[in-house]
Amino acid sequence: MRSKILHSFSILLITSLLFSCSSSRKLNKELSRQLTSEVFDQSFTGFALYDLDKKKFVIEHNSNKYFTPASNIKLLTFYASLKELGDSISGMRYYTTPDSLVFWGTGDPSFLNPNLQGSKVFNFLKNSSKDLYFASSAITNPPLGSGWAWDDYNDAYSAERSQFPIYGNLVSFKWKSNEPLPLSSPSYFSDFLIKDQELSNSIRRDVDANIFRYNLSKIEALETNIPFKTSSELTAKLLSDTLNKPVTLISKPWKIQNKNIQTIYSIAADSLYKEMLQESDNFIAEQLLLLISEKISDSLSTNIAIDHIQSIYFNNLQDQIKWVDGSGLSRYNLITPRTLVTILDKILKELPREGLFKLLPAGGKEGTLKNWYASDIPYIFAKSGSLRNNYSLSGYLKTKSGKLMIFSFMNNNYVASSSEIKKAMEKMFLEIRNSY
């Protein structure tokens, strides 16, 4: 009797395995067909799909080729931050004397940032009874990243990097047709507005100065955020203005000896990660690398952070990463789909799945994926990456059978509309969700 049961079980197991292999081959054939369809024919497409249970790739298409990842590079910044920064962000370093408080920045992007709540640094400075001195470090990091488009300087997604960010390094302008001038926040910049008849229904900053030219005569209303040019002098002025008390700029000594240096922690790290991942906030991503650099070296340098991360955490990857910034604004970044899958696998080992999925955009629900990959129950949790003629999506996919897959889908140099590319991608994701 026992031998008959074992025999029957063996037949069922073999049948199940054969069916699974047949089903997998059928799916692979269908996915391969779609990857070579007309919509992808004139572009460069890479795809990697990884089965976590079997610990192997299900399908690879150009997965060893290099692509411009755009904001998919934020996944590297995210992983590095998980490894280096802890649960709370260091918002400020300082020391005190009997009558003075000397402080300097760590790169924390949360100070008076309208998209982030709960920073403790403002209240600490506001409530101090001591004379305030902002100690500025020697500038070692350029405000704009290598390979960024120079003419994006007026767009909110291209805010400058700095040692002590304030207001997200953006000035907000609001205007209605019954108002004589645009209202600025912070109000400090109101004195730098100039009407310019050569402009058409816009506000533009001068390339090299905080002069904001506007002409809004043919529209009813406008709301816009524009990066301001950062400097230590401007930071001290803005701090004085918002704290409503003097803040004196001094130079930070190369070495601070015999001082009891203390730290104010500003905000929960998860708050930064969620805003960076769901809204694809470039500024937060860039500042996270500066926070890492400040922690390991006392200097704020994107290159120091990237070199450290590459040597410690990414030194055994199958394909070397060409990595130059934290946000993916640079077209100099290059990475392969299979490397992104590896990094996503590393991220999964750092956080519980449900906690991780709350930080990432969910298809059809929130952030950059709110209008794509919709389902009654979200099945895509992923980071998108967009530059002109480039769109990538890398993350996690839940199948109807309960499997969790990791994928990286990268598209460069397409001439079709991005919506056509996304529709073709969605068709493939649904095929995987329903069939695997």
Side-chain angles (χ1 to χ4, degrees):
M1 182 68 177
R2 185 182 176 189
S3 62
K4 286 183 178 180
I5 293 173
L6 289 172
H7 180 67
S8 299
F9 177 77
S10 298
I11 291 174
L12 284 171
L13 180 61
I14 292 169
T15 303
S16 175
L17 287 171
L18 289 172
F19 178 79
S20 176
C21 290
S22 174
S23 179
S24 181
R25 283 196 297 269
K26 184 178 179 181
L27 176 61
N28 285 3
K29 186 176 180 181
E30 175 59 22
L31 295 179
S32 296
R33 183 190 69 78
Q34 292 188 38
L35 283 165
T36 55
S37 64
E38 184 178 354
V39 71
F40 297 118
D41 187 46
Q42 287 188 300
S43 62
F44 184 42
T45 298
F47 183 63
L49 181 66
Y50 184 77
D51 187 323
L52 272 167
D53 293 336
K54 295 180 180 178
K55 299 189 183 303
K56 70 174 187 178
F57 285 95
V58 175
I59 185 170
E60 295 182 80
H61 177 79
N62 289 331
S63 74
N64 65 330
K65 307 298 185 184
Y66 282 89
F67 291 79
T68 301
S71 284
N72 273 198
I73 212 74
K74 291 184 175 76
L75 291 168
L76 282 66
T77 302
F78 176 43
Y79 177 72
S81 301
L82 289 173
K83 299 297 288 186
E84 291 288 343
L85 295 181
D87 295 333
S88 297
I89 298 299
S90 57
M92 188 184 81
R93 314 280 187 202
Y94 73 97
Y95 66 84
T96 59
T97 67
D99 58 359
S100 303
L101 190 156
V102 180
F103 65 96
W104 56 95
T106 60
D108 172 32
S110 69
F111 186 76
L112 296 180
N113 190 318
N115 296 322
L116 299 166
Q117 303 297 321
S119 175
K120 299 172 183 176
V121 174
F122 176 82
N123 288 337
F124 178 80
L125 293 174
K126 182 72 174 175
N127 295 330
S128 175
S129 59
K130 296 177 181 293
D131 294 333
L132 299 181
Y133 293 88
F134 171 50
S136 173
S137 303
I139 302 297
T140 58
N141 205 69
L144 300 180
S146 179
W148 291 13
W150 74 267
D151 55 348
D152 288 349
Y153 73 91
N154 201 69
D155 296 310
Y157 59 77
S158 195
E160 294 189 356
R161 308 178 292 199
S162 68
Q163 302 171 40
F164 199 107
I166 182 168
Y167 299 105
N169 287 352
L170 297 171
V171 54
S172 172
F173 290 105
K174 293 183 180 181
W175 180 80
K176 292 183 180 178
S177 57
N178 61 344
E179 296 170 347
L181 289 172
L183 297 177
S184 70
S185 178
S187 59
Y188 172 86
F189 292 101
S190 296
D191 293 337
F192 303 97
L193 280 161
I194 298 176
K195 190 158 187 179
D196 188 336
Q197 297 294 345
E198 294 185 7
L199 286 179
S200 176
N201 303 321
S202 65
I203 301 177
R204 291 196 65 84
R205 197 199 81 209
D206 285 4
V207 174
D208 297 320
N210 284 317
I211 302 296
F212 298 88
R213 303 178 187 275
Y214 72 96
N215 185 0
L216 306 169
S217 57
K218 296 181 180 180
I219 58 174
E220 292 297 317
L222 178 77
E223 289 190 21
T224 189
N225 296 313
I226 298 176
F228 55 76
K229 281 206 69 65
T230 59
S231 69
S232 298
E233 291 77 12
L234 179 59
T235 299
K237 289 177 183 177
L238 290 175
L239 286 169
S240 297
D241 188 59
T242 193
L243 294 170
N244 199 28
K245 56 182 175 180
V247 175
T248 302
L249 176 65
I250 61 173
S251 294
K252 181 185 173 187
W254 283 106
K255 292 184 178 180
I256 299 176
Q257 298 176 337
N258 304 320
K259 304 293 184 184
N260 183 19
I261 298 173
Q262 300 181 64
T263 301
I264 294 292
Y265 289 89
S266 64
I267 195 170
D270 280 0
S271 300
L272 293 187
Y273 304 154
K274 186 173 183 178
E275 187 71 16
M276 175 184 71
L277 295 170
Q278 292 199 3
E279 303 304 325
S280 205
D281 192 302
N282 295 323
F283 177 65
I284 290 175
E286 294 299 332
Q287 295 298 135
L288 283 170
L289 288 189
L290 298 188
L291 280 160
I292 292 171
S293 173
E294 193 272 343
K295 182 178 179 181
I296 64 175
S297 71
D298 195 35
S299 297
L300 282 77
S301 165
T302 300
N303 291 338
I304 287 175
I306 288 175
D307 289 346
H308 171 77
I309 296 158
Q310 293 264 53
S311 64
I312 301 297
Y313 303 117
F314 299 150
N315 59 353
N316 59 351
L317 294 173
Q318 194 169 0
D319 307 310
Q320 183 181 1
I321 304 166
K322 305 296 183 183
W323 185 15
V324 301
D325 71 4
S327 63
L329 277 173
S330 176
R331 289 182 182 263
Y332 296 165
N333 293 309
L334 290 172
I335 195 168
T336 67
R338 67 185 181 187
T339 295
L340 276 168
V341 166
T342 300
I343 291 167
L344 284 159
D345 194 21
K346 288 176 178 286
I347 291 171
L348 204 55
K349 293 177 173 65
E350 298 298 320
L351 291 172
R353 290 184 182 184
E354 293 311 311
L356 171 58
F357 295 162
K358 287 178 181 177
L359 298 178
L360 286 164
K365 295 293 182 181
E366 58 214 352
T368 56
L369 301 189
K370 186 175 183 179
N371 299 318
W372 290 96
Y373 319 113
S375 175
D376 292 338
I377 300 174
Y379 70 101
I380 292 280
F381 302 88
K383 182 74 199 75
S384 61
S386 301
L387 288 171
R388 184 175 295 181
N389 307 111
N390 292 346
Y391 179 76
S392 297
L393 190 70
S394 300
Y396 309 94
L397 186 153
K398 290 182 177 179
T399 71
K400 281 193 171 179
S401 67
K403 278 184 172 290
L404 184 65
M405 316 290 284
I406 303 178
F407 70 88
S408 179
F409 204 147
M410 309 190 77
N411 300 279
N412 282 186
N413 306 322
Y414 55 77
V415 293
S417 68
S418 61
S419 61
E420 287 183 67
I421 297 293
K422 292 172 186 177
K423 287 175 183 176
M425 291 170 63
E426 185 170 35
K427 185 178 179 181
M428 287 182 59
F429 290 140
L430 287 170
E431 191 79 39
I432 297 165
R433 184 196 68 167
N434 297 334
S435 305
Y436 204 85

